[in-house]
Amino acid sequence: MIISHKIQLNPTAVQEAYFRRACGTVRFTYNWGLARWKELYEAGEKPTAFSLKREFNAIKTEQFPWVAEVSSRCTEYAFTRLGAAFANFFRRVKNGEKELGYPRFKSKRDTHQSFYVANTGLKLDGHWVKIPRLDAPINMAETLRFQGKIMSGVISSYGGRWWLAVAVDVGEVETAVSGPPVGIDLGVKDAAILSTGQVFENQKHLRSELRKLRRLNRELARREKGSQGWYRTKDKLAKLHAQIRNRRTDGIHKMTTAVTKQYGVIGVENLNVRGMMANHHLAQAVGDVGMFEIKRQLTYKAALYGAVVVEVGRWYPSSRLCAACGWKNTELTLTDREWTCPECGCIHDRDVNAAVNIRDEALRIIGAP
Ligand SMILES: [Zn+2]
C-alpha cells in the first residue's frame, strides 16, 4: 500500500532559489509542450505527451541549455503532468461534461508550483532530506510518519511555504483485526464523539479565522483582477487557507491515529456530505470538521493498524434510536443535545447515544455475534 505524507520544508535561501528554478523549468517545459500540442493538433497531427517529450529532449541542449541547471526529472514531470491534463480533458469530452477544462498555460503567479524528485535521489534522515543537485540537506518541520520504501517525492510551493509530499510503499499491511469495536459520531458540535464518550474537539479553526477570510475575499473582489495588489491579496488568501488546512489536518491525524490503533471495528456514518453542505447552517461546521479527510485517514490507517471501517447507511436513524432499548425518538431536533427515553428512562447525550448506535449497527453489518 502506498501512502503519501506531506511535510513542510524550511529551506535556506540557496535551496529556495533552486526550488524556484526547478518550478520555473517545469512551468516552461509544460507551456512549451502545451503550445506545441496545439500547433501540431491544428496541423492535423495527433501529438502525445511522450512524442512531445522526445522532441523536447532532442532540442533542449541546443535551444534551452539552462534546463540542465536542474534535475532532468523536472522536464519529465512536466510532460507527465501535461499528459494527465489532456487525459482529463478527453475524459470530460467523452462524458459530455459541461466544464471541459482544456489544459491552460501555467503562470509564475499560480498559487501552486511544484517539481518532482525521483526516489533514487531522495534521502530522508530524521528531520533532514537530501535531493539531487543540492549538497546540503533540507530541514523538514517533522519526520516521516511512515516506514517503508520511498517511491517518489514532489516539492511544491503553496501558501508562501514549501512542502515535500513523499510517497511511501508501506508494503504488506496488517490484516488481523484486533481491539474492541467503537462507533464515531461525526457531529456538528464536536469533531468526533466516540461511543465510549471520548470527545475529540473540533477546534473550530475555520470559524476563528473566518472573519479574516471574509475580509480578504472582499479585498480581492475590490481589486482590479491581475493588478499587483490583486496578486498580493491572492497570496495572503492562499497563505491563510494553507494555515487553516494544516491546523485542521493535524488535529484529524491525532484522532484517526488514536482510534485506528486502539479499536478493531470502527463504525462511521455514511453521511451525505454534499447534502449537508447545501444546508446553509450546517455547511460551515461540517466544512470545519473536514469529514472527507476524517474518512480518508480512517480508511488507510485502519488498513495499517489492523482495523476495519464500517460505514453505516445514511438513513440509519443513529441519533433517534435509544441505544438502550431501541425506542425511536421521532421528535428529536438538531438543537436537542440531551434527551430522556420515555420507554426505559435512559438519559442520553445526543452524540454519544448516536455513536453507540453506529457501533452496534456496524457490528450487525459485519455479522459480529
Ligand atoms: Zn430507551
Side-chain angles (χ1 to χ4, degrees):
M1 183 162 83
I2 293 173
I3 303 177
S4 175
H5 184 192
K6 203 166 186 180
I7 303 170
Q8 197 194 317
L9 298 176
N10 302 310
T12 63
V14 173
Q15 289 165 343
E16 191 171 5
Y18 178 81
F19 290 176
R20 289 194 191 288
R21 205 153 55 226
C23 289
T25 305
V26 171
R27 221 163 43 228
F28 170 84
T29 314
Y30 185 97
N31 288 344
W32 179 91
L34 180 53
R36 188 76 184 120
W37 190 304
K38 286 181 170 176
E39 209 173 85
L40 290 169
Y41 182 78
E42 274 154 29
E45 289 185 51
K46 279 200 163 171
T48 64
F50 183 74
S51 70
L52 290 174
K53 181 165 88 176
R54 219 169 28 195
E55 185 181 338
F56 183 85
N57 284 341
I59 61 165
K60 68 179 180 189
T61 318
E62 199 173 307
Q63 292 193 32
F64 323 114
W66 44 266
V67 302
E69 286 172 21
V70 299
S71 158
S72 63
R73 299 292 184 174
C74 293
T75 52
E76 273 175 36
Y77 174 67
F79 288 108
T80 309
R81 293 276 301 272
L82 185 66
F86 270 105
N88 196 29
F89 166 71
F90 292 140
R91 183 179 50 77
R92 286 168 187 232
V93 171
K94 203 177 141 198
N95 294 344
E97 285 179 40
K98 222 152 75 187
E99 298 269 339
L100 294 178
Y102 188 84
R104 283 186 312 185
F105 287 103
K106 298 201 178 295
S107 154
K108 196 175 169 179
R109 294 293 208 168
D110 291 346
T111 38
H112 281 91
Q113 307 278 348
S114 65
F115 68 97
Y116 181 88
V117 188
N119 65 341
T120 45
L122 201 59
K123 303 246 166 359
L124 280 89
D125 184 11
H127 276 272
W128 300 93
V129 58
K130 272 209 67 161
I131 66 165
R133 303 294 184 101
L134 284 178
D135 293 330
I138 306 149
N139 181 256
M140 301 193 292
E142 55 178 320
T143 57
L144 186 62
R145 198 179 290 127
F146 308 107
Q147 291 195 333
K149 184 174 162 31
I150 289 166
M151 306 304 286
S152 64
V154 170
I155 292 182
S156 62
S157 152
Y158 179 75
R161 292 190 176 149
W162 290 94
W163 306 89
L164 168 67
V166 194
V168 187
D169 187 350
V170 293
E172 292 279 318
V173 293
E174 196 169 337
T175 46
V177 170
S178 60
V182 74
I184 309 178
D185 181 64
L186 299 175
V188 170
K189 191 174 62 123
D190 305 289
I193 298 95
L194 306 192
S195 48
T196 56
Q198 190 179 356
V199 176
F200 287 90
E201 281 287 329
N202 165 19
Q203 289 155 28
K204 303 226 164 44
H205 288 311
L206 186 62
R207 195 155 304 172
S208 64
E209 314 259 339
L210 203 66
R211 188 177 298 187
K212 212 169 159 191
L213 210 59
R214 278 205 204 98
R215 187 179 60 77
L216 284 175
N217 271 319
R218 273 200 307 269
E219 191 177 301
L220 189 72
R222 265 202 317 270
R223 296 201 188 273
E224 192 192 334
K225 198 177 172 187
S227 69
Q228 283 242 339
W230 185 80
Y231 280 116
R232 230 181 0 250
T233 307
K234 211 164 157 248
D235 280 351
K236 276 193 218 158
L237 255 175
K239 226 173 252 182
L240 185 61
H241 274 296
Q243 188 186 324
I244 292 166
R245 197 176 50 185
N246 296 333
R247 281 209 243 143
R248 189 198 300 167
T249 314
D250 255 21
I252 295 175
H253 267 301
K254 287 196 183 90
M255 187 274 281
T256 54
T257 301
V259 170
T260 48
K261 278 190 167 169
Q262 198 178 345
Y263 299 97
V265 177
I266 301 160
V268 283
E269 276 170 296
N270 175 9
L271 288 172
N272 175 6
V273 178
R274 199 167 296 184
M276 287 181 82
M277 288 292 200
N279 179 327
H280 177 74
H281 296 293
L282 284 175
Q284 190 190 321
V286 174
D288 254 5
V289 180
M291 212 163 289
F292 281 118
E293 185 58 19
I294 291 175
K295 287 213 182 136
R296 187 189 72 81
Q297 291 185 14
L298 276 179
T299 308
Y300 84 70
K301 289 183 186 177
L304 270 180
Y305 303 127
V308 282
V309 176
V310 183
E311 291 206 20
V312 169
R314 76 173 131 108
W315 304 120
Y316 178 72
S318 59
S319 302
R320 296 181 180 282
L321 295 179
C322 167
C325 74
W327 183 78
K328 190 170 174 181
N329 183 350
T330 50
E331 245 106 86
L332 192 74
T333 68
L334 263 177
T335 49
D336 296 335
R337 305 314 311 172
E338 214 176 67
W339 58 282
T340 307
C341 174
E343 197 70 16
C344 71
C346 223
I347 300 167
H348 294 300
D349 172 282
R350 175 205 178 85
D351 302 324
V352 176
N353 177 63
V356 172
N357 281 325
I358 291 165
R359 177 197 67 196
D360 294 347
E361 178 66 2
L363 287 171
R364 192 192 63 76
I365 289 170
I366 61 168

